[in-house]
Amino acid sequence: GQQLNQSPQSMFIQEGEDVSMNCTSSSIFNTWLWYKQDPGEGPVLLIALYKAGELTSNGRLTAQFGITRKDSFLNISASIPSDVGIYFCAGQGIGSSNTGKLIFGQGTTLQVKP
Amino acid sequence: DGGITQSPKYLFRKEGQNVTLSCEQNLNHDAMYWYRQDPGQGLRLIYYSQIVNDFQKGDIAEGYSVSREKKESFPLTVTSAQKNPTAFYLCASRRGDVEMEAFFGQGTRLTVV
């Protein structure tokens, strides 16, 4: 079945630093989504990507849909303490067997030192 | 306000008992999902439904059951056959196959003792 590999698993950075995380799939995806989860809460959607090569920004966040359609990355610029949380990539593969099936990566835990 | 409501937030059950987790949405979304999250883990897909009266198994469906009798509701039953049911359960919905953005409820933390 489809698998998403997200890296790094965790990051501990200084406030003000830029952050980059990525996600790769075992098969071609037609959608990439990036979420942030605070402890004990449901994930919140940050960015949605629909086209290969697409580059989308949301404030200090930038995400790209890889040209091969098998990867995506998320960058956070000038990190602040409230960026702390778990970041997940998610996506849906192509083909009728994957219709509607939204799967998630393992998450990247981000800690920011003030 | 439109949104997804999961209840209860915390649930305790004795081992061997079935338990049903509620998920309701008033977003008029066609598709609904159930995920399980263990500490330090990602979200694993249990079941999903793209339309009323139809649902598909996800990657870890064993020991769980669902129903989709109404568009707004997608309850999840954790049965006694689930070997390790203690986890954080998340419900999500999305409009359909064109708009892929899924929105989540606040989650239910189930503890089986």
Side-chain angles (χ1 to χ4, degrees):
Chain A
Q2 302 171 87
Q3 291 186 348
L4 288 183
N5 292 309
Q6 193 171 344
S7 64
Q9 187 173 5
S10 63
M11 302 180 74
F12 191 89
I13 63 170
Q14 195 78 30
E15 181 178 0
E17 289 183 352
D18 296 343
V19 172
S20 183
M21 60 193 77
N22 67 78
C23 204
T24 59
S25 65
S26 55
S27 56
I28 291 174
F29 273 37
N30 61 18
T31 303
W32 285 99
L33 307 172
W34 285 93
Y35 288 84
K36 182 192 178 202
Q37 184 183 31
D38 292 324
E41 301 293 329
V44 174
L45 182 67
L46 300 173
I47 292 178
L49 302 161
Y50 290 100
K51 296 179 182 178
E54 181 181 357
L55 185 71
T56 298
S57 294
N58 179 6
R60 293 179 296 106
L61 278 61
T62 301
Q64 185 160 28
F65 193 140
I67 292 292
T68 65
R69 300 175 67 188
K70 289 186 176 182
D71 63 339
S72 177
F73 72 75
L74 175 70
N75 286 344
I76 305 173
S77 63
S79 59
I80 59 178
S82 63
D83 289 334
V84 166
I86 305 176
Y87 292 80
F88 290 102
C89 62
Q92 177 175 299
I94 62 173
S96 57
S97 63
N98 294 317
T99 299
K101 188 177 183 181
L102 186 63
I103 64 170
F104 282 73
Q106 306 97 319
T108 294
T109 299
L110 178 63
Q111 295 177 289
V112 179
K113 184 178 181 181
Chain B
D1 286 352
I4 304 170
T5 302
Q6 289 187 244
S7 61
K9 179 72 173 175
Y10 300 95
L11 191 54
F12 294 87
R13 279 294 181 270
K14 291 184 178 180
E15 192 173 347
Q17 289 182 337
N18 291 355
V19 59
T20 298
L21 282 59
S22 169
C23 180
E24 303 277 333
Q25 54 98 1
N26 59 5
L27 301 167
N28 199 33
H29 283 176
D30 290 315
M32 297 187 74
Y33 300 80
W34 275 106
Y35 294 89
R36 170 184 172 135
Q37 186 176 27
D38 294 289
Q41 302 284 323
L43 279 62
R44 292 185 290 168
L45 182 61
I46 305 173
Y47 269 98
Y48 61 107
S49 168
Q50 298 181 73
I51 196 169
V52 174
N53 292 322
D54 188 39
F55 48 83
Q56 290 78 38
K57 292 182 179 179
D59 298 320
I60 56 165
E62 185 175 351
Y64 300 97
S65 66
V66 293
S67 62
R68 188 84 188 278
E69 298 176 0
K70 297 188 299 182
K71 188 175 186 178
E72 305 80 17
S73 179
F74 191 41
L76 173 74
T77 297
V78 184
T79 74
S80 56
Q82 168 50 233
K83 298 282 190 272
N84 185 18
T86 295
F88 189 48
Y89 291 88
L90 287 158
C91 178
S93 72
R94 71 183 193 189
R95 187 181 302 277
D97 205 42
V98 175
E99 293 185 20
M100 301 296 185
E101 295 95 355
F103 298 92
F104 282 84
Q106 292 299 298
T108 293
R109 186 166 299 280
L110 173 65
T111 302
V112 175
V113 296

